[in-house]
């Protein structure tokens, strides 16, 4: 069942165009959104969250159009925006104290669990944290309110290999609970480890949106890893 | 709506926005252009917007489970709340000067405008100008604010100058009334200021909602 459906999203900038992006995010599956820097991943995600106003196209979540249902839809989504830090001098405790009030579904147990797992100190402010720890603060907020779909922009960037592994395990656990996880990355091994579906964007166009096995069957040569396939595709070489 | 206002107060606001409310009491200073107090209150708000911009406040707010229109509403509620607190202090000062201190020589010998209901109405007009020019201007981009603030400064000080000059014009002395003299006119001028505030804020808010919906964050 599609939880999120993106149809023909177009966003034109002077030097970049997101060209008619269409794909679906399915319940209980992990979707890796892959593309090199500047391919349009963040523009697509921002459009899905109504942070960027697309020139045309639609985004439906839970069967409802995002336009006009923003508040109800956002309550059911968890999102994280990489290493962007909020309120650098406010304590995490204060930040969470405000955010939790916006969610009827705030899960204090989950919050405490992820706080311990990410080894975050509530009394620290973002300015005292490394880039990787800032990513964890954003993930903490995204994971603590029983979201039905997680939309995460570069959630593994800046994380050490151990934390990345833990995070990918969290994704797998959430998928098993029926949560849809959609995360962008340019680290292909993250996709190989846990993604069920792949959305591949190149130069503003969705080049592929399909299950990982179908992607491998269509694009990979025999014995080729996903990383090797992606590198070859980005170099503009013919697919298998 | 209470939650987004709480976020404005606890996360977005600079302490200066609250401290500068105290400038409302400048309505008690004799021989001083008292309407500058309204400007100082808005200076604190301007500082607060700069503080919030450095904290990525607008994007954070837009990511919360609220409609984009609610982000705008939160900012307007916060600004109007600060202005209302300052107006309460100004009103208290005006009431003191209209009653127990109405014959105080230090106020009677004041060449500048008296702190009366007309002054309060003009302070409302200045707050309305801030909301229209600065707040409305800010939400055109949600990050640029310098030009809008400079434009507001010019308009605010032209208003201060005009209000200060008014009672020196022959026949317009009643705008500078003491105590309850010309109370009908004074109440009318206060009501006009309040109406201007409401109209300018309403126009600004509607424009800000429209612009904020369109811009990219």
């Amino acid at each position: 069942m599609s939880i999120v459906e993106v149809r023909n999203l177009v966003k034109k900038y002077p030097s970049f165009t997101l060209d008619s992006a269409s794909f679906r995010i399915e319940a209980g599956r992990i979707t890796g959104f892959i593309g090199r820097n500047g391919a349009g991943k963040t523009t697509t995600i921002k459009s899905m969250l109504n942070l960027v106003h697309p020139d045309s196209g639609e985004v439906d979540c839970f069967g409802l159009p995002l336009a006009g249902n923003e508040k109800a839809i956002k309550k059911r989504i968890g999102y994280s925006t990489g290493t962007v830090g909020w309120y650098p001098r406010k304590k995490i405790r204060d930040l969470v104290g405000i955010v939790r009030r916006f969610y009827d579904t705030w899960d204090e147990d989950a919050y405490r669990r992820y706080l311990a797992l990410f080894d975050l100190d509530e009394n620290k402010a973002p300015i005292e944290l490394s880039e990787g720890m800032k990513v964890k603060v954003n993930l903490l907020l995204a994971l603590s309110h029983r979201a039905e779909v997680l939309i995460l922009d570069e959630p593994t960037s800046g994380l050490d290999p151990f934390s990345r592994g833990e995070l990918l395990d969290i994704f797998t656990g959430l998928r098993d609970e029926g949560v849809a996880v959609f995360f962008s990355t340019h680290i292909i091994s993250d996709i190989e480890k846990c993604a069920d579906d792949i959305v591949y964007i190149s130069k503003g166009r969705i080049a592929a949106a399909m299950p990982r096995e179908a992607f491998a069957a269509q694009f990979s040569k025999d014995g080729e890893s996903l990383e090797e396939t992606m590198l070859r595709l980005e170099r503009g070489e013919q697919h298998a | 709506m209470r939650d987004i206002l709480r976020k404005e107060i606890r996360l977005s606001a600079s302490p200066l926005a609250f401290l500068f409310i105290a400038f409302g009491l400048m309505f008690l200073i004799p021989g001083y252009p008292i309407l500058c107090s309204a400007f100082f209150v808005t200076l604190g708000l301007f500082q607060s917007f700069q503080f919030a911009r450095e904290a990525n406040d607008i994007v954070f707010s837009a990511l919360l489970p609220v409609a984009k229109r609610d982000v705008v509403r939160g900012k307007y509620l916060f600004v109007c709340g600060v202005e209302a607190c300052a107006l309460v202090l100004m009103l208290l000062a005006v009431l003191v000067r209209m009653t127990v201190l109405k014959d105080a020589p230090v106020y009677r010998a004041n060449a500048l405008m008296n702190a009366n209901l007309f002054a309060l109405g003009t302070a409302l007009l200045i707050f309305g100008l801030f909301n229209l020019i600065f707040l409305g201007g800010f939400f055109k981009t949600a990050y640029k604010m310098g030009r809008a603030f400079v434009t507001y400064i010019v308009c605010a000080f032209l208003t201060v100058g005009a209000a200060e000059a008014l009672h020196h014009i022959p026949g317009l002395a009643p705008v500078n009334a003491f105590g309850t003299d010309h109370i009908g006119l004074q109440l009318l001028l206060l009501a006009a200021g309040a109406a201007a505030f409401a109209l300018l804020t309403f126009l600004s808010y509607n424009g800000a909602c429209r612009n904020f919906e369109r811009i990219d964050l």
Side-chain angles (χ1 to χ4, degrees), chain B residues 118-209:
Chain B
F118 167 63
L120 202 59
T122 313
L124 274 160
L125 173 63
I126 292 172
F127 286 149
L129 288 171
F130 177 79
N131 297 351
L132 178 73
I133 301 167
F134 176 74
L135 264 185
F138 172 74
F139 277 107
K140 284 179 184 167
T141 59
Y143 69 94
K144 285 184 184 171
M145 56 180 93
R147 183 179 294 179
F149 193 63
V150 170
T151 309
Y152 157 70
I153 290 172
V154 172
C155 293
F157 278 96
L158 283 175
T159 307
V160 172
E164 286 286 354
L166 216 53
H167 68 275
H168 295 293
I169 297 170
L172 294 183
V175 299
N176 203 40
F178 289 84
T180 51
D181 298 347
H182 304 286
I183 192 66
L185 175 69
Q186 289 290 317
L187 284 169
L188 191 68
L189 292 170
L190 173 61
F197 173 83
L199 179 67
L200 296 177
T201 304
F202 175 76
L203 290 174
S204 170
Y205 172 70
N206 279 338
C209 286

Side-chain angles (χ1 to χ4, degrees), chain A residues 14-231:
Chain A
S15 58
F16 173 79
T17 299
L18 179 66
D19 189 2
S20 200
S22 299
F23 57 89
R24 294 173 175 205
I25 302 175
E26 307 291 333
R29 290 180 75 82
I30 299 173
T31 305
F33 188 30
I34 195 156
R36 60 192 300 174
N37 294 334
K41 299 189 297 294
T42 298
T43 300
T44 305
I45 287 180
K46 282 187 166 184
S47 300
M48 291 164 70
L49 299 174
N50 202 21
L51 293 181
V52 159
H53 196 265
D55 297 312
S56 62
E58 291 98 39
V59 178
D60 287 356
C61 298
F62 313 107
L64 300 167
L66 181 61
N69 299 289
E70 203 177 341
K71 188 173 172 180
I73 286 172
K74 280 182 175 176
K75 276 183 188 277
R76 299 168 70 182
I77 295 178
Y79 27 75
S80 153
T81 51
T83 59
V84 176
W86 317 110
Y87 310 101
R89 295 184 189 279
K90 300 283 183 187
K91 288 179 181 174
I92 295 169
R93 179 198 301 274
D94 298 331
L95 197 61
V96 170
I98 292 297
V99 171
R100 61 156 50 103
R101 292 174 180 275
F102 285 88
Y103 296 98
D104 330 322
T105 51
W106 184 264
D107 185 340
E108 190 63 23
D109 290 341
Y111 167 67
R112 293 280 156 207
R113 198 166 63 244
Y114 290 122
L115 195 69
L117 181 69
F118 293 152
D119 202 18
L120 284 165
D121 179 353
E122 277 188 305
N123 292 311
K124 280 195 171 177
I127 198 166
E128 301 171 84
L129 302 176
S130 67
E131 292 302 295
M133 293 302 269
K134 282 182 198 164
V135 172
K136 289 182 179 179
V137 173
N138 289 339
L139 287 168
L140 177 71
L141 297 174
L143 293 167
S144 299
H145 60 89
R146 298 190 193 127
E148 294 165 59
V149 56
L150 292 171
I151 298 176
L152 312 169
D153 192 8
E154 309 272 5
T156 53
S157 66
L159 295 188
D160 61 74
F162 305 103
S163 299
R164 267 173 55 207
E166 283 169 355
L167 184 62
L168 298 178
D169 287 343
I170 291 172
F171 289 172
T172 310
L174 289 168
R175 172 190 57 195
D176 295 343
E177 292 170 20
V179 175
V181 180
F182 178 81
F183 73 103
S184 72
T185 185
H186 52 262
I187 304 170
I188 298 161
S189 60
D190 290 346
I191 303 264
E192 278 186 311
K193 276 180 194 155
C194 68
D196 303 303
D197 299 317
I198 289 177
V199 176
Y200 168 42
I201 186 167
S202 179
K203 294 174 185 162
R205 301 194 70 160
I206 301 293
M210 57 185 70
R212 193 174 67 179
E213 297 77 17
F215 184 91
Q218 187 170 338
F219 294 102
S220 294
K221 292 179 177 174
D222 286 341
E224 197 176 50
S225 69
L226 185 60
E227 181 151 1
E228 289 165 336
T229 305
M230 298 303 300
L231 289 172

